[in-house]
Amino acid sequence: MSVENGISRRAMLVKLGLFLNGIIGVVLAVPIARYLLSPVIREKKYGYETWLSLGGLEQFPTGQTRLATYRNPLVNDWDGETGNIACWVRRVDDQTFQVFAINCAHLGCPVRWFPQSSLFMCPCHGGAYYQDGSRASGPPERGLFQYRYKIEHGKLLIKAGEMPTPGQPVANKEAGKTTCA
Protein backbone atom coordinates (compact mmCIF):
# COMPACT_ATOMS: atom_id res chain seq x y z
CA MET A 1 0.00 0.00 0.00
CA SER A 2 1.66 3.19 -1.06
CA VAL A 3 0.84 6.60 0.27
CA GLU A 4 1.62 9.75 -1.62
CA ASN A 5 2.63 11.63 1.57
CA GLY A 6 5.57 9.28 2.12
CA ILE A 7 4.30 7.64 5.35
CA SER A 8 2.18 4.54 5.46
CA ARG A 9 -0.67 3.91 7.83
CA ARG A 10 1.32 1.11 9.47
CA ALA A 11 4.32 3.40 10.15
CA MET A 12 2.04 6.08 11.54
CA LEU A 13 0.33 3.59 13.92
CA VAL A 14 3.72 2.24 15.05
CA LYS A 15 4.93 5.77 15.86
CA LEU A 16 1.67 6.57 17.67
CA GLY A 17 1.96 3.30 19.65
CA LEU A 18 5.55 4.07 20.62
CA PHE A 19 4.57 7.60 21.67
CA LEU A 20 1.66 6.36 23.85
CA ASN A 21 3.85 3.61 25.38
CA GLY A 22 6.48 6.24 26.18
CA ILE A 23 3.88 8.39 27.96
CA ILE A 24 2.66 5.39 29.97
CA GLY A 25 6.27 4.48 30.84
CA VAL A 26 6.96 7.99 32.15
CA VAL A 27 3.71 8.01 34.16
CA LEU A 28 4.69 4.68 35.78
CA ALA A 29 8.33 5.68 36.30
CA VAL A 30 7.61 8.90 38.23
CA PRO A 31 6.20 7.23 41.41
CA ILE A 32 8.91 4.57 41.33
CA ALA A 33 11.63 7.22 41.02
CA ARG A 34 10.06 9.30 43.83
CA TYR A 35 9.97 6.21 46.07
CA LEU A 36 13.59 5.35 45.37
CA LEU A 37 14.76 8.95 45.86
CA SER A 38 12.49 9.78 48.84
CA PRO A 39 15.21 9.46 51.51
CA VAL A 40 17.27 12.03 49.62
CA ILE A 41 14.57 14.53 48.63
CA ARG A 42 12.23 14.23 51.65
CA GLU A 43 11.47 17.53 53.32
CA LYS A 44 12.72 17.43 56.92
CA LYS A 45 10.27 19.42 58.99
CA TYR A 46 10.04 16.86 61.79
CA GLY A 47 11.87 13.72 62.63
CA TYR A 48 13.52 11.56 65.21
CA GLU A 49 15.70 14.41 66.45
CA THR A 50 12.69 16.62 67.19
CA TRP A 51 11.61 17.62 70.68
CA LEU A 52 7.82 17.99 70.90
CA SER A 53 5.85 19.94 73.48
CA LEU A 54 3.36 18.23 75.77
CA GLY A 55 2.24 21.59 77.12
CA GLY A 56 3.01 24.06 79.86
CA LEU A 57 4.32 22.90 83.24
CA GLU A 58 1.14 24.20 84.89
CA GLN A 59 -0.83 21.39 83.19
CA PHE A 60 1.02 18.82 85.29
CA PRO A 61 0.56 19.38 89.04
CA THR A 62 3.24 18.05 91.40
CA GLY A 63 2.48 14.57 92.67
CA GLN A 64 -0.07 13.77 89.97
CA THR A 65 -0.09 11.64 86.84
CA ARG A 66 -1.91 13.04 83.81
CA LEU A 67 -2.68 11.84 80.31
CA ALA A 68 -1.10 13.98 77.58
CA THR A 69 -1.00 13.72 73.80
CA TYR A 70 1.46 14.76 71.13
CA ARG A 71 1.44 14.65 67.35
CA ASN A 72 3.60 11.88 65.90
CA PRO A 73 6.41 13.67 64.04
CA LEU A 74 6.43 11.11 61.22
CA VAL A 75 2.81 11.17 60.06
CA ASN A 76 1.15 12.57 56.99
CA ASP A 77 -1.48 15.30 56.99
CA TRP A 78 -4.24 12.85 56.09
CA ASP A 79 -3.59 10.61 59.12
CA GLY A 80 -6.02 12.69 61.18
CA GLU A 81 -6.57 11.60 64.79
CA THR A 82 -4.47 8.47 64.33
CA GLY A 83 -1.40 10.72 64.26
CA ASN A 84 -1.99 11.75 67.89
CA ILE A 85 -0.18 9.63 70.46
CA ALA A 86 -1.02 9.49 74.14
CA CYS A 87 1.46 9.25 77.00
CA TRP A 88 1.35 9.43 80.78
CA VAL A 89 3.14 12.32 82.51
CA ARG A 90 4.03 12.06 86.20
CA ARG A 91 5.38 15.16 87.91
CA VAL A 92 7.56 14.10 90.80
CA ASP A 93 8.64 17.61 91.88
CA ASP A 94 9.16 21.07 90.36
CA GLN A 95 11.80 19.97 87.84
CA THR A 96 11.50 16.16 87.79
CA PHE A 97 9.08 14.36 85.49
CA GLN A 98 8.51 10.86 84.22
CA VAL A 99 6.91 10.47 80.80
CA PHE A 100 5.67 6.96 80.07
CA ALA A 101 4.56 5.41 76.81
CA ILE A 102 0.92 4.44 77.11
CA ASN A 103 1.66 0.89 75.95
CA CYS A 104 2.19 -2.08 78.23
CA ALA A 105 5.67 -3.62 78.02
CA HIS A 106 4.11 -7.07 77.53
CA LEU A 107 2.06 -6.85 74.32
CA GLY A 108 1.52 -3.13 73.83
CA CYS A 109 -2.04 -2.77 75.12
CA PRO A 110 -2.84 0.73 76.41
CA VAL A 111 -2.44 0.99 80.18
CA ARG A 112 -4.72 3.13 82.36
CA TRP A 113 -3.80 5.10 85.44
CA PHE A 114 -5.82 4.43 88.60
CA PRO A 115 -5.12 7.19 91.16
CA GLN A 116 -7.05 5.32 93.90
CA SER A 117 -4.42 2.57 93.95
CA SER A 118 -1.53 4.56 92.43
CA LEU A 119 -1.14 1.87 89.77
CA PHE A 120 -1.05 1.66 85.99
CA MET A 121 -3.16 -1.32 84.92
CA CYS A 122 -3.17 -3.22 81.63
CA PRO A 123 -6.61 -4.54 80.64
CA CYS A 124 -5.30 -7.28 78.34
CA HIS A 125 -3.42 -9.68 80.63
CA GLY A 126 -3.57 -8.03 84.05
CA GLY A 127 -0.18 -6.36 84.07
CA ALA A 128 0.29 -3.75 86.79
CA TYR A 129 2.90 -1.03 87.24
CA TYR A 130 3.72 1.22 90.19
CA GLN A 131 3.41 4.99 89.83
CA ASP A 132 7.13 5.23 88.96
CA GLY A 133 6.55 2.90 85.98
CA SER A 134 8.28 -0.13 87.49
CA ARG A 135 6.67 -3.55 87.19
CA ALA A 136 4.29 -4.48 90.02
CA SER A 137 2.81 -7.78 88.80
CA GLY A 138 1.56 -9.75 85.83
CA PRO A 139 3.23 -10.93 82.64
CA PRO A 140 5.31 -7.85 81.76
CA GLU A 141 8.99 -8.55 82.38
CA ARG A 142 9.95 -4.89 82.84
CA GLY A 143 8.51 -1.49 83.66
CA LEU A 144 6.79 0.96 81.36
CA PHE A 145 8.86 2.52 78.59
CA GLN A 146 9.94 6.10 79.27
CA TYR A 147 10.55 8.99 76.92
CA ARG A 148 13.43 11.40 77.34
CA TYR A 149 12.28 14.85 78.35
CA LYS A 150 13.53 18.36 78.96
CA ILE A 151 12.06 21.63 80.19
CA GLU A 152 12.37 24.74 78.05
CA HIS A 153 10.62 28.10 78.43
CA GLY A 154 8.07 26.69 80.89
CA LYS A 155 7.10 23.80 78.62
CA LEU A 156 7.64 20.06 78.95
CA LEU A 157 9.26 18.63 75.80
CA ILE A 158 9.80 14.99 74.94
CA LYS A 159 11.91 13.19 72.35
CA ALA A 160 8.80 11.64 70.85
CA GLY A 161 10.07 10.28 67.56
CA GLU A 162 12.07 7.57 69.27
CA MET A 163 10.28 4.28 69.61
CA PRO A 164 10.74 2.99 73.15
CA THR A 165 12.05 -0.57 73.02
CA PRO A 166 13.56 -3.03 75.53
CA GLY A 167 17.24 -2.37 76.12
CA GLN A 168 16.97 1.26 75.03
CA PRO A 169 18.38 3.74 77.54
CA VAL A 170 15.77 4.85 80.04
CA ALA A 171 15.31 8.58 80.38
CA ASN A 172 16.26 10.52 83.46
CA LYS A 173 15.72 14.18 84.30
CA GLU A 174 18.06 15.59 81.66
CA ALA A 175 18.45 14.35 78.09
CA GLY A 176 22.12 13.58 78.70
CA LYS A 177 21.61 11.33 81.76
CA THR A 178 20.54 7.85 80.69
CA THR A 179 20.75 4.36 82.11
CA CYS A 180 20.01 1.06 80.41
CA ALA A 181 16.72 -0.65 81.06
Side-chain angles (χ1 to χ4, degrees), residues 48 50-52 54 68-73 84-90 97-103 142 144-150 156-165 168-175 177-178:
Y48 288 111
T50 303
W51 289 89
L52 298 176
L54 291 180
T69 59
Y70 63 91
R71 186 79 176 159
N72 184 341
N84 295 332
I85 298 177
C87 60
W88 292 104
V89 178
R90 176 178 176 243
F97 289 84
Q98 288 183 295
V99 183
F100 303 110
I102 197 168
N103 305 94
R142 63 178 305 278
L144 291 172
F145 300 112
Q146 291 186 45
Y147 291 106
R148 292 194 299 163
Y149 75 91
K150 69 180 179 179
L156 179 62
L157 305 171
I158 63 170
K159 194 83 167 232
E162 297 175 343
M163 179 60 121
T165 57
Q168 179 182 11
V170 176
N172 283 336
K173 182 177 175 188
E174 297 296 324
K177 298 178 187 175
T178 56

Side-chain angles (χ1 to χ4, degrees), residues 18-77:
L18 289 173
F19 176 74
L20 292 176
N21 282 328
I23 290 174
I24 291 171
V26 168
V27 167
L28 293 176
V30 167
I32 293 170
R34 285 191 63 195
Y35 172 76
L36 293 174
L37 296 174
S38 66
V40 177
I41 62 175
R42 180 175 295 144
E43 183 179 315
K44 295 220 176 191
K45 56 183 180 181
Y46 299 112
Y48 288 111
E49 294 81 33
T50 303
W51 289 89
L52 298 176
S53 175
L54 291 180
L57 298 181
E58 68 279 354
Q59 293 178 314
F60 308 105
T62 302
Q64 290 189 19
T65 301
R66 295 265 173 104
L67 185 66
T69 59
Y70 63 91
R71 186 79 176 159
N72 184 341
L74 302 175
V75 297
N76 295 309
D77 295 335

Side-chain angles (χ1 to χ4, degrees), residues 98-160:
Q98 288 183 295
V99 183
F100 303 110
I102 197 168
N103 305 94
C104 176
H106 178 228
L107 291 178
C109 295
V111 296
R112 288 192 52 207
W113 170 247
F114 290 90
Q116 308 88 342
S117 59
S118 294
L119 291 172
F120 291 101
M121 303 288 288
C122 177
C124 296
H125 299 106
Y129 303 90
Y130 295 115
Q131 68 181 355
D132 67 354
S134 62
R135 179 187 178 274
S137 68
E141 296 179 8
R142 63 178 305 278
L144 291 172
F145 300 112
Q146 291 186 45
Y147 291 106
R148 292 194 299 163
Y149 75 91
K150 69 180 179 179
I151 299 168
E152 265 185 20
H153 309 295
K155 293 193 180 280
L156 179 62
L157 305 171
I158 63 170
K159 194 83 167 232

